[in-house]
Amino acid sequence: MDCVRHICMNPLCIQVYTAKDPQQLDRITTYFEEIEPQAGRPARYVPRSVQIDLEGGVIGKLRGGPLGGLFPPDSWVHAESGAANNFSKGHYTEGAELVEPLLDLIRKQSEKCDALQGFQLTHSLGGGTGSGLGTLLLSKLREEEPDRMLATFSVMPSPLVSETVVEPYNAILSIHQLTENSDLTVCMDNEALYNINVKNLKKAHPEFSDLNRVVAQVMCGVSTSLRFPGQLNGDLRKLGMNLIPFPRLHYLLPSYAPLVSAETSAYQSLAVPELVAALFDRRNLLVACDPRMGRYLTAATIFRGNISSQEIEIAVQQLQTRNSSLFVDWIPDNVSITLCPVPPVDRKQAGVTLSNTTAIQELFRRVWNLYSAMFKRKAFLHWYTQEGMDEMEFQEAESNVMDLIAEYQQYEEGGGGGDESYAPSSIGQYEDETPSEY
């Protein structure tokens, strides 16, 4: 993250800020706790976070890594047996035993905040810990802090980049929980992350560190208005206010620009209209779905660097005018703009867009198709029922996801005059690909 980039990696000074930009420190306490200087030593900054896994080996590897010393020792929490890629283990058995100590640790972290606005959860929906324990923790936080914002960065499974056959089960059960307990869910999927690395960043064989780097860029962009002062700025609650027209439709598709290889970036300088167009291009979308197959309910654009607000407003307005059929006409001014003068690492300017579009139903349908193919045959179901789950829970989750898809479809069809009004346009369109491919 941006704040971490200026922290010395020497074990003696790992938590010390070494840059000179005062804007970097203006709101650093949003995500970091400042430790007062002592005995001639400079001030240190410790992340306000908790790292959780039901498998101790993963936590051990992270603690032994280059950033392990950045986090307090008591912020690492793990069990021993692991979740075995099983939602029920994370939600009902192994995870349930760990959730109370976790909540105590989160309370201690929260008490250090001057004005607690909400919680952010980063997890994957394909495995057992991220899906089961992640959603259990979310429901507990909802009970304890009902008036705080709960935002998640959720990595959805993909059949093309799959680690386990039961990912569709875990994903559907998680979406069921997220729909009820999350206020704002930023969706990503491994297929899109993989394709961005191969096609945009020109990495023939991307590793998980490469995929995580793209996720980190988006998370930095989304949290920009929380971490730095800026023009037309907003906080987490204002972001949700502008993006979420209906409580259940809080799933957002992120995009980032520019997404080009290091070699290409040295020869490329994006004009503002090109940067705006790239943010609405499906090649830069972190979810493998086609925005041309739906309508934008709302969108939030966040720009970083020395960019004129007037140029941005004109470029966004022109893009909406050219592609008016892809934006619902019953929500006026449905694209918000945030500007921050602090550029990201090694860039002069960049942008992030969070889109609330009905096209996300393509992602839910894809996961549901895989889920239903297994569930109607009761395949692998015994691994879940052995941990105390009931078959009725699967049926409830499936019904909730189908209702969610129907709601997106309803607002897509009822927003602007029928199917004829949103034929595929220039947004996200490029040669040699069909809408069903990525």
Side-chain angles (χ1 to χ4, degrees):
M1 287 213 172
D2 291 344
C3 294
V4 176
R5 65 173 165 156
H6 293 303
I7 296 177
C8 174
M9 289 299 102
N10 187 307
L12 299 178
C13 62
I14 193 169
Q15 297 160 341
V16 177
Y17 177 83
T18 59
K20 306 298 181 184
D21 187 354
Q23 293 184 103
Q24 294 274 359
L25 290 175
D26 189 55
R27 297 183 183 175
I28 195 171
T29 53
T30 301
Y31 286 99
F32 289 80
E33 178 189 359
E34 182 177 358
I35 299 177
E36 295 295 331
Q38 297 176 350
R41 296 174 61 185
R44 295 179 295 125
Y45 298 93
V46 177
R48 190 180 294 109
S49 68
V50 180
Q51 297 72 236
I52 311 161
D53 203 324
L54 290 177
E55 186 179 343
V58 176
I59 293 292
K61 184 177 180 181
L62 292 173
R63 293 189 70 173
L67 289 178
L70 180 65
F71 302 90
D74 63 350
S75 68
W76 302 91
V77 181
H78 66 86
E80 298 300 333
S81 59
N85 295 314
N86 190 330
F87 175 92
S88 57
K89 275 183 172 288
H91 201 85
Y92 292 106
T93 54
E94 304 293 339
E97 296 175 4
L98 204 62
V99 74
E100 285 304 325
L102 267 176
L103 290 172
D104 288 338
L105 185 55
I106 292 172
R107 286 189 201 102
K108 293 178 182 178
Q109 296 276 18
S110 303
E111 289 168 0
K112 299 175 183 177
C113 299
D114 295 328
L116 179 64
Q117 189 176 113
F119 301 90
Q120 290 182 339
L121 172 69
T122 306
H123 63 146
S124 169
L125 303 191
T129 301
S131 64
L133 179 55
T135 55
L136 174 62
L137 185 59
L138 203 65
S139 66
K140 295 292 185 181
L141 289 173
R142 173 61 74 202
E143 292 174 6
E144 294 209 356
E145 302 282 356
D147 57 338
R148 305 301 178 188
M149 288 288 290
L150 297 181
T152 73
F153 292 86
S154 305
V155 180
M156 304 285 180
S158 167
L160 299 184
V161 189
S162 178
E163 293 184 339
T164 173
V165 294
V166 294
E167 283 183 348
Y169 280 166
N170 297 333
I172 290 294
L173 293 167
S174 299
I175 294 169
H176 171 52
Q177 295 286 332
L178 288 172
T179 302
E180 303 304 322
N181 295 316
S182 173
D183 293 311
L184 190 152
T185 295
V186 180
C187 302
M188 294 167 268
D189 75 38
N190 287 324
E191 181 180 344
L193 293 169
Y194 185 87
N195 278 290
I196 283 172
N197 275 275
V198 173
K199 297 179 180 179
N200 296 37
L201 304 180
K202 309 303 180 186
K203 296 181 182 292
H205 304 287
E207 300 178 354
F208 280 113
S209 59
D210 298 314
L211 274 61
N212 287 334
R213 189 172 295 111
V214 177
V215 173
Q217 287 178 309
V218 170
M219 291 184 66
C220 283
V222 172
S223 63
T224 294
S225 60
L226 304 175
R227 297 182 291 120
F228 305 121
Q231 185 182 5
L232 306 176
N233 237 351
D235 57 24
L236 195 62
R237 192 170 294 277
K238 289 180 182 177
L239 194 66
M241 182 72 71
N242 289 324
L243 281 171
I244 313 301
F246 308 103
R248 286 169 56 87
L249 309 189
H250 57 250
Y251 293 91
L252 308 175
L253 304 186
S255 59
Y256 184 88
L259 276 175
V260 294
S261 64
E263 295 78 9
T264 304
S265 64
Y267 299 91
Q268 188 180 67
S269 178
L270 285 181
V272 170
E274 294 172 336
L275 182 62
V276 172
L279 288 174
F280 288 88
D281 190 326
R282 65 186 288 253
R283 287 174 291 188
N284 291 359
L285 201 62
L286 271 69
V287 176
C289 70
D290 190 346
R292 296 171 293 166
M293 296 297 103
R295 281 198 176 107
Y296 290 92
L297 301 175
T298 56
T301 56
I302 303 168
F303 296 93
R304 303 184 59 180
N306 187 18
I307 307 175
S308 164
S309 60
Q310 186 176 7
E311 283 187 85
I312 291 292
E313 290 171 0
I314 292 173
V316 169
Q317 186 177 19
Q318 289 176 343
L319 181 133
Q320 282 190 275
T321 302
R322 289 196 308 269
N323 304 279
S324 59
S325 60
L326 289 182
F327 294 85
V328 297
D329 56 6
W330 42 274
I331 301 180
D333 301 321
N334 55 353
V335 179
S336 63
I337 298 172
T338 297
L339 300 179
C340 173
V342 181
V345 181
D346 301 327
R347 298 278 186 193
K348 292 184 178 180
Q349 59 187 33
V352 171
T353 293
L354 294 177
S355 304
N356 193 340
T357 169
T358 61
I360 197 172
Q361 61 183 293
E362 179 184 341
L363 171 64
F364 296 143
R365 287 184 190 277
R366 186 166 64 236
V367 177
W368 175 78
N369 286 334
L370 297 170
Y371 167 93
S372 60
M374 291 196 300
F375 183 65
K376 68 183 181 181
R377 296 171 175 84
K378 305 296 187 289
F380 304 103
L381 206 62
H382 64 286
W383 295 109
Y384 293 80
T385 55
Q386 285 175 4
E387 300 295 327
M389 284 193 71
D390 190 271
E391 192 174 317
M392 184 67 70
E393 295 181 62
F394 284 83
Q395 296 171 354
E396 290 176 1
E398 181 180 18
S399 176
N400 199 8
V401 173
M402 292 305 296
D403 288 345
L404 184 65
I405 293 172
E407 288 175 52
Y408 276 110
Q409 188 65 33
Q410 171 193 345
Y411 291 114
E412 176 181 321
E413 295 174 350
D419 294 344
E420 303 82 21
S421 64
Y422 62 101
S425 73
S426 59
I427 289 188
Q429 191 167 4
Y430 53 99
E431 64 279 359
D432 298 328
E433 292 209 22
T434 62
S436 61
E437 298 173 346
Y438 189 82

